[in-house]
Amino acid sequence: MGDSIDRELHRAVGLADLASLCSAAFQFPTPELAAALKDGSFLSDWRACILDVCGRVSEADEALLAFCDEAFHAEGTDYATMRREYSRLYLAPGSKVPVWPYESCFRHRAAGASGVPSLFRSQIALAVERSMHEAGVAPVKEHQEPGDSVFRELDFLAYLHAAEGEALRVGDEDARSAHLGRLVRFATDHALPWIPDFMAATEELADFAVYRAFARLGVRYLAELRALSCNAGASVSCTASGNGSSCAASASAGRSCVDCGEADE
């Protein structure tokens, strides 16, 4: 396997694992998650993923890790408090929920529409599940949890990253192209139009640092997802932070959006 393919494989695997960690962060808390935050294993896994994705841990990533480490040892990271905070943020009754964790509901509110859309039969939720089925993925608990929840969309992105990586590993360029196409379409049509705003709302409205840290980790993964989408030629509106370079320019130069944002480090 050539150096270029090996680097791309590491990147795909790292992105799959980043998406999986973000999914775990935004599912209903478990004792195992709370323990992984306290004992450092969650952030250790995150660091390993960043190394796979980028080949290094930048100063910005070190700062993010330091922020999260402090947050994960602050008040509110015990299992019971995390359950209460998750319920307050995402599971409040009716339209009073501070942050909708479902794409259809979140975008419905963002558009200024009144009322609450159907959780299971909205056009967005059905489109998300159709994308999953077309990729050969049978959503878990399909009739119990809406298909467009933030963590199910992140799980699906993780699957697509991993599928691209497996195609790279076995040298199947047609399969790789198909998985990458699905990944970019799903990012463009679903994940990127709302999950960044979901993360921003979470950071703004969270009472405890642990969920603000989760939101920043989510933003970090989404930056890599946006860069991948831009560099693959997706019609995603994207401007890199830092020096203001556009993704189109970044792609033509062989760099990712994240690279542009760190150009002056």
Side-chain angles (χ1 to χ4, degrees):
M1 186 179 293
D3 290 343
S4 176
I5 297 298
D6 186 59
R7 176 89 283 279
E8 291 179 54
L9 175 56
H10 275 278
R11 180 170 175 78
V13 171
L15 287 169
D17 290 341
L18 284 182
S20 291
L21 287 171
C22 287
S23 173
F26 289 101
Q27 294 185 45
F28 194 74
T30 64
E32 291 77 17
L33 174 62
L37 302 182
K38 289 289 191 181
D39 67 20
S41 56
F42 187 97
L43 285 182
S44 178
D45 288 347
W46 185 273
R47 177 185 288 275
C49 294
I50 289 294
L51 281 171
D52 275 339
V53 171
C54 302
R56 67 188 181 100
V57 180
S58 69
E59 290 184 11
D61 281 315
E62 290 287 8
L64 175 59
L65 287 164
F67 172 84
C68 292
D69 184 57
E70 182 176 350
F72 294 163
H73 290 87
E75 179 188 5
T77 316
D78 61 282
Y79 173 54
T81 304
M82 287 180 67
R83 285 168 60 92
R84 289 194 297 271
E85 176 72 340
Y86 188 96
S87 297
R88 184 191 69 81
L89 279 171
Y90 308 122
L91 301 179
S95 60
K96 295 181 180 180
V97 60
V99 186
W100 278 112
Y102 309 109
E103 181 185 351
S104 54
C105 297
F106 191 96
R107 294 175 71 172
H108 179 91
R109 177 182 283 175
S114 60
V116 179
S118 169
L119 289 179
F120 289 92
R121 306 307 299 174
S122 71
Q123 290 186 352
I124 288 177
L126 292 173
V128 167
E129 293 198 353
R130 185 162 54 250
S131 296
M132 294 177 178
H133 283 293
E134 288 173 355
V137 177
V140 177
K141 298 181 179 178
E142 188 167 5
H143 301 295
Q144 300 177 38
E145 178 71 26
D148 62 342
S149 70
V150 62
F151 56 85
R152 284 183 61 180
E153 290 198 10
L154 288 164
D155 274 339
F156 184 50
L157 289 166
Y159 167 82
L160 293 172
H161 287 304
E164 184 205 354
E166 177 60 16
L168 273 166
R169 188 187 69 80
V170 301
D172 189 336
E173 190 57 37
D174 288 341
R176 185 209 177 180
S177 179
H179 291 308
L180 185 58
R182 291 189 184 98
L183 174 61
V184 169
R185 285 193 298 275
F186 191 79
T188 305
D189 294 344
H190 293 286
L192 291 175
W194 82 282
I195 300 182
D197 291 333
F198 166 87
M199 297 300 176
T202 292
E203 180 160 10
E204 178 185 356
L205 297 174
D207 284 342
F208 295 97
V210 57
Y211 278 96
R212 292 194 288 274
F214 283 160
R216 293 194 189 186
L217 292 174
V219 168
R220 180 65 183 92
Y221 161 70
L222 291 166
E224 294 292 345
L225 179 65
R226 190 180 292 276
L228 182 155
S229 299
C230 292
N231 292 340
S235 56
V236 179
S237 174
C238 178
T239 301
S241 61
N243 59 12
S245 301
S246 70
C247 283
S250 304
S252 65
R255 299 183 299 172
S256 75
C257 301
V258 177
D259 291 332
C260 286
E262 296 177 352
D264 298 327
E265 285 192 0

